[in-house]
Amino acid sequence: MPHRHSLFWKLAALLIAFCLLVISLSGFWTRRIELETSYLSAEAQQVLKEYAEEGRQAALEGPAAVDAFLLALQAREPGWSTLLDKNLQTLSSQALDAKGRENLIRMRHLDGPMSRRGVGLPIIGVPFADGSGRLAIRLPERYRPWRYTAMLVALVQFVIPALLALLFCVGLYRVLISPLARLCKQADAVRAGQFAARLAPEVIRRKDEMGELGRALQHMTERMQESVFLQRQMLRDLSHELRTPLSRLQVACESNLSHADYQGRVRREIKVMRDLVDSTLELAWMDAERPSPALESVSVEALWELLREDACFETGWSAERFPCDLPANCHVLGHLNSLARAMENILRNAIRYSPENGVIHLVGRRANQHWLLWIEDRGPGVAEHELDLIFRPFTRLNEARPGDDGFGLGLAIAQRMIRLQEGEMWAENAHPGLRLVLRLQSLEQA
């Protein structure tokens, strides 16, 4: 069933309103035309009244004058006519025949509507001014009131519905075709690489399927713009980062190094370039594909134990320099490998910028349906206005946080991995040090 704001209801409302409007207007105006065109015009009434006055004058002179008047009237207005007294008896010297009596039965009032159901022209009774009698006359053809009725009815039943249909098409165009044209224009702009083009706000704000399509297209455009920008930026940064190991290789080739030293230098530079390319491709894959890994229960404390063991082996630090302050029931809903990789990148970054004998602390607490986890180091921290910059690829704030190596990709990859698990990651200054905060779903939420 279409939802409340579906385009179906708008189209149904337009069609129903159009049909009801056409039916009601057509019926109303048809009846109105038939009624209005059933009355005699003012000119016809005036002429017939003049005939009746002449007949009244003839009636005062007697039957012979009446007979003469009727002959003269028939010469002017061919058709049946007679003069009657107030008892509907003829004033002529000749009695009414059967046809004449039948005409009297069908006689219409002068100011009343004329029926079109009868055969031929109606008989009109025009009263004398003094009420002493009336003139009965078949209506002259030229005064027939419904002469143009068929034309007017055709106008109401065909021309006006056609105009209403045109208005309906205009409404349909405004509701459906016009926003579709804008969506097509937006799609053409995206196809041409013009990602800065945006849809009109009135299309985005619509609550029907057209608005949903517009918002989806807008979101797709923004994603493509972001993806293209990121790819171009990473391509520039990658080419820049590759120059350093390539330059060192070139120096090694031109120097008089021993065979063993030369091999060692080549291996190190190849490892640097491989790590750089692998990290860049991984970051580009996550931004382009945005995979949805299967989520499961992960014990954060157990995961930290594994990461701490690896860190102690690589750095030679003691386990006491990696304290953990987590509740016993700290289980999050996440993807184990992605979460481990993200926390490992954060941990490596903290180790890189930690001072001598520094401590890296993992803390966590429950916040409604989420767990807040943060990893703190004791390094120099980051300026407040640069906290968001550390998550950009190839960003290294060497002056604020001096370190020995790295490409500036670890935190960018970590943040994207956390987002793929429907979590969030941000940075805060711990005074001293830097605090990386993770917000992940609680297991109980599932």
Side-chain angles (χ1 to χ4, degrees):
M1 189 68 181
H3 60 79
R4 184 163 60 96
H5 300 291
S6 174
L7 192 62
F8 168 80
W9 300 115
K10 294 182 180 180
L11 296 177
L14 275 176
L15 184 58
I16 293 173
F18 170 73
C19 293
L20 292 178
L21 185 63
V22 170
I23 293 172
S24 60
L25 287 181
S26 179
F28 173 78
W29 285 110
T30 299
R31 292 190 299 270
R32 188 73 177 176
I33 290 172
E34 290 179 349
L35 181 62
E36 292 296 331
T37 57
S38 296
Y39 293 91
L40 295 179
S41 66
E43 177 188 0
Q45 292 186 23
Q46 181 62 32
V47 171
L48 294 178
K49 286 179 180 180
E50 292 176 358
Y51 291 163
E53 179 61 22
E54 295 177 7
R56 188 184 71 83
Q57 296 293 336
L60 293 177
E61 299 177 7
V66 171
D67 293 341
F69 165 75
L70 292 177
L71 288 175
L73 180 60
Q74 190 168 12
R76 285 184 292 176
E77 301 290 352
W80 183 87
S81 61
T82 188
L83 290 177
L84 304 171
D85 60 15
K86 59 183 178 181
N87 296 321
L88 299 182
Q89 298 298 319
T90 182
L91 297 175
S92 173
S93 60
Q94 298 179 0
L96 291 175
D97 56 11
K99 184 176 180 181
R101 289 192 296 271
E102 183 181 354
N103 288 339
L104 294 183
I105 296 174
R106 295 183 297 157
M107 185 168 57
R108 313 292 297 178
H109 293 288
L110 177 65
D111 54 356
M114 305 292 120
S115 174
R116 291 182 297 168
R117 297 178 182 176
V119 179
L121 295 170
I123 303 299
I124 308 299
V126 187
F128 295 162
D130 58 2
S132 60
R134 69 186 60 199
L135 168 67
I137 183 174
R138 188 177 298 279
L139 182 68
E141 173 67 26
R142 66 180 184 278
Y143 294 135
R144 186 174 60 177
W146 52 83
R147 179 179 302 177
Y148 303 107
T149 302
M151 184 184 301
L152 294 175
V153 170
L155 176 67
V156 169
Q157 293 183 346
F158 298 102
V159 177
I160 293 181
L163 294 177
L164 292 177
L166 181 61
L167 291 178
F168 174 77
C169 292
V170 172
L172 186 63
Y173 181 86
R174 291 179 61 86
V175 170
L176 186 61
I177 307 302
S178 180
L180 272 179
R182 295 182 180 181
L183 291 173
C184 290
K185 184 177 180 182
Q186 175 73 7
D188 290 339
V190 173
R191 183 177 60 181
Q194 300 173 3
F195 301 110
R198 292 293 181 268
L199 284 170
E202 55 267 24
V203 178
I204 301 297
R205 288 195 296 263
R206 291 172 62 127
K207 298 181 180 180
D208 53 20
E209 291 86 349
M210 203 65 65
E212 294 175 1
L213 179 59
R215 289 187 291 273
L217 181 59
Q218 188 84 328
H219 179 68
M220 181 189 71
T221 303
E222 292 172 355
R223 277 195 57 185
M224 292 182 65
Q225 183 181 22
E226 179 184 354
S227 178
V228 170
F229 173 79
L230 180 62
Q231 291 177 7
R232 292 173 179 173
Q233 182 66 34
M234 285 195 298
L235 183 60
R236 289 194 296 267
D237 293 336
L238 179 62
S239 62
H240 175 75
E241 294 291 338
L242 285 174
R243 289 192 183 98
T244 300
L246 289 175
S247 298
R248 289 196 292 260
L249 283 176
Q250 184 177 3
V251 171
C253 291
E254 296 174 353
S255 61
N256 296 322
L257 294 176
S258 64
H259 181 71
D261 292 339
Y262 180 76
Q263 282 188 332
R265 171 56 62 181
V266 170
R267 291 192 185 96
R268 285 195 297 273
E269 299 306 334
I270 290 176
K271 181 180 182 303
V272 169
M273 289 188 289
R274 182 174 61 247
D275 292 343
L276 175 60
V277 172
D278 289 344
S279 298
T280 303
L281 292 177
E282 182 179 19
L283 184 63
W285 176 77
M286 285 190 293
D287 281 324
E289 299 296 332
R290 299 193 180 185
S292 299
L295 304 183
E296 57 185 343
S297 174
V298 178
S299 173
V300 180
E301 186 175 9
L303 178 59
W304 182 256
E305 287 294 332
L306 294 175
L307 297 177
R308 176 167 56 185
E309 181 180 349
D310 291 341
C312 291
F313 176 78
E314 293 179 7
T315 62
W317 291 15
S318 64
E320 289 75 16
R321 295 178 65 179
F322 300 96
C324 176
D325 185 11
L326 293 175
N329 62 340
C330 184
H331 287 74
V332 299
L333 191 64
H335 184 257
L336 178 60
N337 292 337
S338 299
L339 183 57
R341 178 71 186 281
M343 294 181 65
E344 182 182 23
N345 285 358
I346 297 173
L347 187 56
R348 290 181 184 276
N349 185 78
I351 293 172
R352 181 178 299 117
Y353 296 111
S354 289
E356 186 177 357
N357 298 321
V359 175
I360 300 174
H361 195 187
L362 173 64
V363 185
R365 64 177 176 84
R366 183 72 176 270
N368 297 326
Q369 300 298 318
H370 295 83
W371 277 98
L372 290 180
L373 311 173
W374 57 90
I375 301 175
E376 296 180 357
D377 60 39
R378 294 294 182 267
V382 174
E384 291 292 333
H385 66 278
E386 295 179 335
L387 287 174
D388 291 335
L389 297 180
I390 62 177
F391 297 107
R392 294 183 180 178
F394 299 103
T395 298
R396 287 169 291 187
L397 308 177
N398 293 328
E399 295 181 0
R401 293 171 59 82
D404 53 352
D405 56 3
F407 308 111
L409 293 174
L411 294 183
I413 293 175
Q415 186 184 54
R416 286 157 176 77
M417 285 185 170
I418 295 299
R419 288 178 177 174
L420 293 179
Q421 303 174 63
E422 301 180 12
E424 292 293 333
M425 175 179 172
W426 65 89
E428 301 173 352
N429 278 310
H431 305 291
L434 184 68
R435 177 186 300 131
L436 276 302
V437 185
L438 311 180
R439 183 174 67 183
L440 296 167
Q441 298 182 66
S442 172
L443 179 62
E444 287 75 5
Q445 187 180 16

